[in-house]
Amino acid sequence: MPATSYNSPRRREAAAQTRQAILDAARRRFAERGYAATTIQEIAAAARVAAAPVYASVGGKPRLLDELVSSAAADTRRRAAADRVTETEDPGEVLRGCVAAARFGAQEYADVFELMLTTGRADDGAAAAAAKADQGFRGGLGVVAARLRDLGALPGSTGEAVDVLAYFLGYPSWRRLVGDFGWSYPAAETWLVARIAETLRIDHLGDARQAEASESAQ
């Protein structure tokens, strides 16, 4: 009987499941107790593993937070919204897709972003994770700005557009509108689309107006 390969699909699957359980446990514990107060031992207990596999599979707390931020960026549901940016020829749809993707991240991963806001100033590891997340965020917004430029819908520079998008769509904006002011996420999303379009001088209702005019003429 042949020996089971150490790198067999079953072992890889088990390792991936363990890793995900550790990340899920870290996310829960960080949200419940805070980043500083949570220990690796507590995360391991919540994931039902020993402490050693936590370090071996992911790493210490800074690495765990970094992985949580990366998982937010890689979420296939968020990427589906972001894909609208490169698939459409309508500048308004590009903008709406960008805002929808930002809303998804802010809504589904609010606890992770809160961690970065509350711990980034006091913990070097958390600050590094926040800086990496911001770099990736602005990189994604650069793709949006370049697409708007390619479609001839961006009067200003792409650098300025990235700054405007980052200002309106960063987590603090969603936190202020939804958390502090009590807006719904759909209302915040609609408002942000309109404000960004005004600032960047983009006709975000162009195709919708044309469709409405066509229907009225029939």
Side-chain angles (χ1 to χ4, degrees):
M1 182 176 180
T4 302
S5 170
Y6 181 76
N7 197 31
S8 69
R10 183 175 297 178
R11 286 180 180 273
R12 290 197 298 271
E13 181 180 357
Q17 290 174 348
T18 297
R19 189 174 189 278
Q20 188 59 54
I22 291 169
L23 290 173
D24 291 343
R27 184 176 177 179
R28 291 194 306 271
R29 298 303 290 175
F30 286 156
E32 293 166 0
R33 287 177 45 77
Y35 179 85
T38 300
T39 67
I40 290 295
Q41 288 72 22
E42 290 172 339
I43 293 171
R48 298 184 178 182
V49 298
V54 176
Y55 288 106
S57 180
V58 184
K61 290 200 299 182
R63 183 62 181 166
L64 284 164
L65 181 55
D66 183 59
E67 286 294 319
L68 289 174
V69 172
S70 296
S71 67
D75 192 301
T76 55
R77 295 167 296 174
R78 187 201 67 82
R79 294 185 69 85
D83 283 345
R84 291 159 59 183
V85 168
T86 57
E87 293 172 353
T88 181
E89 299 292 324
D90 174 16
E93 187 65 14
V94 170
L95 179 56
R96 289 190 293 274
C98 174
V99 178
R103 170 194 164 179
F104 176 85
Q107 187 170 3
E108 295 297 321
Y109 291 91
D111 56 328
V112 176
F113 291 116
E114 283 291 333
L115 276 172
M116 290 193 294
L117 281 178
T118 57
T119 63
R121 299 183 185 92
D123 184 274
D124 291 342
K132 179 180 177 181
D134 186 64
Q135 183 180 20
F137 179 56
R138 290 181 65 86
L141 297 179
V143 173
V144 176
R147 182 61 175 161
L148 290 171
R149 178 201 60 205
D150 293 344
L151 292 173
L154 193 64
S157 69
T158 55
E160 177 188 2
V162 169
D163 290 342
V164 169
L165 290 167
Y167 175 82
F168 280 108
L169 298 181
Y171 176 71
S173 292
W174 298 96
R175 186 179 192 249
R176 189 75 167 144
L177 291 171
V178 177
D180 294 344
F181 298 159
W183 290 25
S184 68
Y185 275 101
E189 181 177 352
T190 299
W191 186 84
L192 287 167
V193 168
R195 298 294 77 74
I196 295 170
E198 287 177 354
T199 306
L200 296 180
R201 290 163 290 170
I202 297 172
D203 182 8
H204 68 292
L205 297 176
D207 282 6
R209 289 197 187 99
Q210 291 177 11
E212 184 178 347
S214 177
E215 291 177 359
S216 299
Q218 293 177 357

